[in-house]
Amino acid sequence: MYRLLSAVTLQAATPGGRAWGCGRRGAHQWAGLPPLGNGWVGGLGLGLGLGLALGVKLAGGLRGAAPAQPPAAPDPEAWPQAVPLLEQSLAPRSPQTPASPHSRCFARAIESSRDLLHRIKDEVGAPGIVVGVSVDGKEVWSEGLGYADVENRVPCKPETVMRIASISKSLTMVALAKLWEAGKLDLDVPVQHYVPEFPEKEYEGEKVSVTTRLLISHLSGIRHYEKDMKKVKEEKAYKALKMMKGTMASEQEKELKEKGSKSNEKNDFSKAKSEQDNESKCRKHGKKKNDFEQGELYLKEKFENSIESLKLFKNDPLFFKPGSQFLYSTFGYTLLAAIVERASGYKYLDYMQKIFHDLDMLTTVQEENEPVIYNRARFYVYNKKRRLINTPYVDNSYKWAGGGFLSTVGDLLKFGNAMLYGYQVGLFKNSNENLLPGYLKPETMVMIWTPVPNTEMSWDKEGKYAMAWGVVEKKQTYGSCRKQRHYASHTGGAVGASSVLLVLPEELDTEVINNKVPPRGIIVSIICNMQSVGLNSTALKIALEFDKDRSE
């Protein structure tokens, strides 16, 4: 580069250098202006040298952060986040909230979490991801990575609106809780008390009752998208066998260690192998389709109200006796939407909009195709050839309550903080009588975040399902070993979308909370325009990173 710079400068300084003498310098003289001195030549050479150096450095930086997308346009995810001052005006950055005094305290956590999200995004091939984090009620970080719209090269940003899928269930729970607090809803009477259009049910010839409480915790026996009862039961049996085998194996291992019997060990090994073979046969025979292979997930029919959408499943038999087994069911929440309508006297969507207004969730709306919704993302999936394609059109009006809302990470943070405030405010009342009440009462939030027996939390095996939230309880088995933190979360999976909202409450000491006010804890929300992306463990890692910085 030095030789090139010297040659160009020499040419500019030489009287015979026509490229420069007949160019701007010549034009300057032709215009009747005073001749330019040698200082101009030196300045030009210096400027050219700086430009070339910057170009080489920038090119090297871009090569080091090559995007996964074709090179037609740069991927916002690959744009460097921390660059020298001279490069900042040339290298665009991922859209994010302006740095605040609060966010500066979490610079390490932000950098670490951003790197983690880049890794997850690259690993699954997601077009775009948006993340938001709040600490003690204050949003400290929100940022978009990648594209909200690949075709038009629209980058993700904190304001990007995406499908939140089953987090919609947690929103519906607020409506049910408000009606219960007001005495307008009994959680334990048969649902026919509110929705007589839903027929009474029998299971194996016995009359059974489906209640609102059972619907909320997926214990009603109402099916999900899989219609084949045999496949569902075989899948449940396989999971139960696997769990029982794991328990028995640990007990047998302990027994063998105590006895020290090699012959017994050999017999037990043969028995375990036989059980494993039987288990494999059961698995092969009973394997059901995943949700994204089910036709009902791609419905295009528009339903005018919740009562009308009951026709999809109301006459189907129950898969299990109510209360006996956990069976995750989005259709159960369609029935809950009808209960909200009858108990409140309002249309479900009107009642939910009132709640969103109260919670200041101004960008959260039901998903409809016709309205113009600013900052709405496109949704994507990979085809059989592993090419990125647009998802097919779907109408989610049949499941607004269980998976049909659109939102932003900012709105989800507000929602999480409102729930955390209600959960904690009772602890602070004695030390601060001026605190406002929570949107839901403390006893209501305790009920909602209390794990329910016979339930499962598919996105974290350590937890149980509660009331429209999955909850992991605090646990530590051994000293100086793994410590399980208490948290509540809900994930979502829809056509072309994945999501998570996670609440990590602070471990409060009631004796030293005089100078604190709720909410106290970390909220993480992540939304993505690609389906089948597991985000709960990522959200938990991010929450723990911020909790670490918060503690230091």
Side-chain angles (χ1 to χ4, degrees), residues 203 214 217-222 232-233 235-237 240 319-328 453-456:
Y203 182 76
L214 293 175
S217 298
H218 303 285
L219 292 167
S220 68
I222 290 175
V232 171
K233 289 196 170 189
E235 183 79 7
K236 295 286 284 186
F319 280 22
F320 299 101
K321 183 177 180 179
S324 66
Q325 290 198 52
F326 178 86
L327 179 61
Y328 191 89
N454 294 333
T455 61
E456 303 166 12

Side-chain angles (χ1 to χ4, degrees), residues 22-138:
C22 296
R24 292 192 181 274
R25 190 174 183 184
H28 183 86
Q29 290 175 349
W30 293 339
L33 296 170
L36 294 170
N38 292 332
W40 178 85
V41 176
L44 174 64
L46 179 61
L48 179 60
L50 285 173
L52 287 171
L54 175 59
V56 170
K57 186 168 184 179
L58 182 57
L62 290 175
R63 280 198 301 272
Q69 300 290 340
D75 187 338
E77 189 222 351
W79 292 337
Q81 298 299 323
V83 292
L85 183 62
L86 190 59
E87 293 182 22
Q88 286 183 2
S89 60
L90 300 176
R93 297 184 301 169
S94 300
Q96 56 185 297
T97 49
S100 66
H102 296 291
S103 63
R104 292 191 198 105
C105 300
F106 299 98
R108 187 208 59 84
I110 290 172
E111 189 63 32
S112 173
S113 300
R114 183 186 290 122
D115 179 66
L116 176 62
L117 281 173
H118 276 298
R119 291 168 183 267
I120 296 297
K121 180 183 178 301
D122 291 344
E123 183 182 332
V124 302
I129 290 181
V130 188
V131 61
V133 179
S134 76
V135 178
D136 299 338
K138 298 178 180 67

Side-chain angles (χ1 to χ4, degrees), residues 4 70 141 223 274 338 340 354 382 412 490:
L4 176 63
W141 180 46
R223 70 173 179 87
S274 175
V340 169
K354 179 183 180 302
Y382 283 94
L412 293 178
H490 211 297

Side-chain angles (χ1 to χ4, degrees), residues 374-413:
Y374 295 121
N375 298 313
R376 176 164 27 181
R378 303 285 299 263
F379 303 102
Y380 300 95
V381 68
Y382 283 94
N383 65 12
K384 292 179 180 178
K385 295 182 179 179
R386 295 302 296 163
R387 296 284 295 181
L388 190 71
I389 59 172
N390 292 300
T391 57
Y393 166 74
V394 293
D395 189 305
N396 287 324
S397 58
Y398 73 99
K399 62 167 185 179
W400 276 324
F405 286 108
L406 301 171
S407 192
T408 60
V409 292
D411 267 15
L412 293 178
L413 292 180

